[in-house]
Amino acid sequence: MRTAIVVGAGIGGLAAAGALARSGWQVTILERGDRVPVDRAALILWPNGVRALRSLGLGDGLHAIATPLRDRGVRRPDGQWLVQPRQPGPDTTPPIVVHREDLHDALIAGLGEAVEIRTGVPIDTVHLHDGDRPSIGHGRQRYEADLIVAADGIDSVLRKHLAPEASVVSSGCAAWRAVIPWYRAPRLPDDMPPNGETLGAGYRFVAVSLGERGSAGGSSRGGIYWVATAAGAPRPESPATQLQLLRRWLAGWHAPIGELLDATEPEDLIQQEVRELRPLPRQYGFGSGPGGVVLLGDAAHAMPHHLGQGACLAFEDAATLRSVMAEAVPGRTLTTAIEQYSRARRPRTATIVRQTRRMSAVLQARGRLALRARDAALGTITPRLLGSVATTAGDWRPPT
């Protein structure tokens, strides 16, 4: 029986574990926390992420928990259009928004009975040797398998050992996320939809509907999901004070931003320092005897959230891993599969990361002259950049 250990029970790790188990691997998930982590916010998945989930056999239930999104355009704080919404083509697959708890439940259900989950297992060592299977451990406890998947996030302990050249750095901004449940969400006029994106001096606000009021497409967690991004460091104050600061910073912005912030409670708020890997690891696969270790998700390519590709790339990683590992057995075929995974994923993620950094520079423009230049160029830069991202993401197909 081929054995695999997945370190980390985030959405990328769960997707990879389920994919390997359905390919005949005996899989164990090791999670540092006392329980499997669940995020209370929502997630936008672009077509490549949806396509990856479907290739993993997890697409059938997406329509029950997800809401399709139309192009929302980009506005200035006074409501003036910087980029007009675009009508989708007849063959365009729209992005979707899904509550992370619903997605988590779907991924857990997809694990089946062949996957063992162990919580409260911190990993702090990794051992690779020419003649031995890879192993990881904590103290005197050692775990060995044919394949180890490092899906332990941006602060990955395994990556620090395997790819020390990749450093975690601040992206120069912080983000706040919240889902306002429908029972508390403001009732907006028909000409004031919540869906939209707004750019100001060092600030960005994005809001989308999570299902329809009174129905969440099969989910009980519907509402209005919003994300605010501000240049600078995270705030040390309490959530209540942070929410007051957001209301002050975005005061006077066009409707319904004020209405959404007023309807948000401190317990809804999730603050996150936006960080990234610079540079990316030089490779995503590391051989050890008849097997080895691969990096997946944020452990491999953590990036700012500006283009919404972090989770999508993690699901692409899992789909690629499933494909190359389907017939691999310990020995030459497995080490070759590890090399194939690295060759397939490293150039792909490097391209998306470069585009994300370009958008990050656009979004974080500050100062009167910089903002004038940004606004003047945004109508040209943003459609071209977003079009490039859409093309790059849309060209991806699950490997066979």
Side-chain angles (χ1 to χ4, degrees):
M1 173 67 74
R2 301 172 296 174
T3 59
I5 292 174
V6 176
V7 182
I11 56 175
L14 293 175
L20 289 171
R22 287 187 293 276
S23 299
W25 289 73
Q26 180 181 326
V27 183
T28 301
I29 299 176
L30 302 181
E31 166 57 38
R32 173 181 292 271
D34 293 333
R35 61 185 64 185
V36 176
V38 183
D39 196 308
R40 295 182 288 108
L43 179 68
I44 295 176
L45 290 177
W46 295 89
N48 56 312
V50 175
R51 198 174 293 123
L53 283 177
R54 288 175 176 163
S55 77
L56 294 171
L58 300 171
D60 292 344
L62 275 180
H63 69 280
I65 60 175
T67 304
L69 294 181
R70 295 181 179 179
D71 185 84
R72 55 188 181 265
V74 184
R75 297 184 185 224
R76 290 174 45 170
D78 60 6
Q80 179 182 341
W81 288 108
L82 287 169
V83 181
Q84 290 276 356
R86 292 167 294 178
Q87 294 298 320
D91 299 324
T92 301
T93 300
I96 62 172
V97 59
V98 59
H99 201 291
R100 282 179 175 264
E101 292 184 41
D102 290 328
L103 182 59
H104 171 270
D105 290 347
L107 293 170
I108 288 289
L111 293 179
E113 298 180 356
V115 178
E116 178 186 3
I117 302 178
R118 301 183 189 179
T119 57
V121 184
I123 297 298
D124 52 25
T125 60
V126 56
H127 304 276
L128 304 184
H129 302 286
D130 290 341
D132 300 326
R133 296 196 303 172
S135 65
I136 53 179
H138 172 69
R140 295 182 179 180
Q141 185 67 52
R142 184 72 62 87
Y143 302 91
E144 183 180 288
D146 300 312
L147 174 67
I148 296 176
V149 180
D152 48 342
I154 186 171
D155 294 311
S156 170
V157 173
L158 273 69
R159 187 197 61 244
K160 291 176 182 178
H161 285 276
L162 300 171
E165 72 277 5
S167 299
V168 178
V169 300
S170 171
S171 298
C173 58
W176 291 262
R177 299 175 291 148
V179 173
I180 309 171
W182 280 128
Y183 72 85
R184 204 168 5 94
R187 289 192 173 273
L188 304 173
D190 292 340
D191 61 350
M192 193 190 296
N195 290 12
E197 177 176 347
T198 306
L199 288 179
Y203 299 96
R204 180 193 190 198
F205 191 90
V206 178
V208 296
S209 294
L210 188 58
E212 299 292 336
R213 186 181 294 272
S215 171
S219 167
S220 61
R221 304 183 179 103
I224 299 176
Y225 170 55
W226 62 258
V227 183
T229 307
R235 304 296 303 192
E237 297 89 350
S238 68
T241 302
Q242 292 175 29
L243 191 54
Q244 291 176 358
L245 288 172
L246 286 170
R247 291 167 180 161
R248 182 193 309 168
W249 293 337
L250 305 182
W253 283 38
H254 67 81
I257 293 174
E259 289 85 345
L260 296 179
L261 291 174
D262 288 341
T264 304
E265 299 290 345
E267 58 267 23
D268 300 328
L269 202 63
I270 302 172
Q271 181 185 214
Q272 177 185 10
E273 180 185 11
V274 181
R275 299 180 297 158
E276 61 188 281
L277 289 181
R278 281 182 181 260
L280 293 178
R282 287 189 288 266
Q283 62 192 78
Y284 289 163
F286 306 84
S288 177
V293 182
V294 297
L295 303 179
L296 183 144
D298 281 351
H301 43 68
M303 68 189 79
H305 61 285
H306 304 313
L307 297 180
Q309 283 293 317
C312 295
L313 291 182
F315 293 142
E316 286 187 22
D317 292 344
T320 303
L321 190 67
R322 177 204 60 80
S323 177
V324 300
M325 294 296 169
E327 303 297 332
V329 295
R332 185 55 189 161
T333 60
L334 178 52
T335 56
T336 298
I338 291 171
E339 295 169 0
Q340 289 175 335
Y341 172 82
S342 184
R343 288 198 302 268
R345 297 308 300 158
R346 180 58 172 75
R348 163 75 174 167
T349 58
T351 298
I352 300 296
V353 167
R354 282 196 300 270
Q355 293 171 329
T356 299
R357 289 173 180 167
R358 289 178 59 199
M359 180 58 78
S360 182
V362 172
L363 296 177
Q364 294 186 49
R366 304 184 74 176
R368 183 175 300 175
L369 293 178
L371 284 171
R372 285 180 179 175
R374 193 275 310 275
D375 288 356
L378 196 60
T380 300
I381 293 174
T382 300
R384 188 169 67 244
L385 179 54
L386 292 179
S388 176
V389 172
T391 299
T392 302
D395 284 345
W396 184 84
R397 293 292 184 277
T400 57

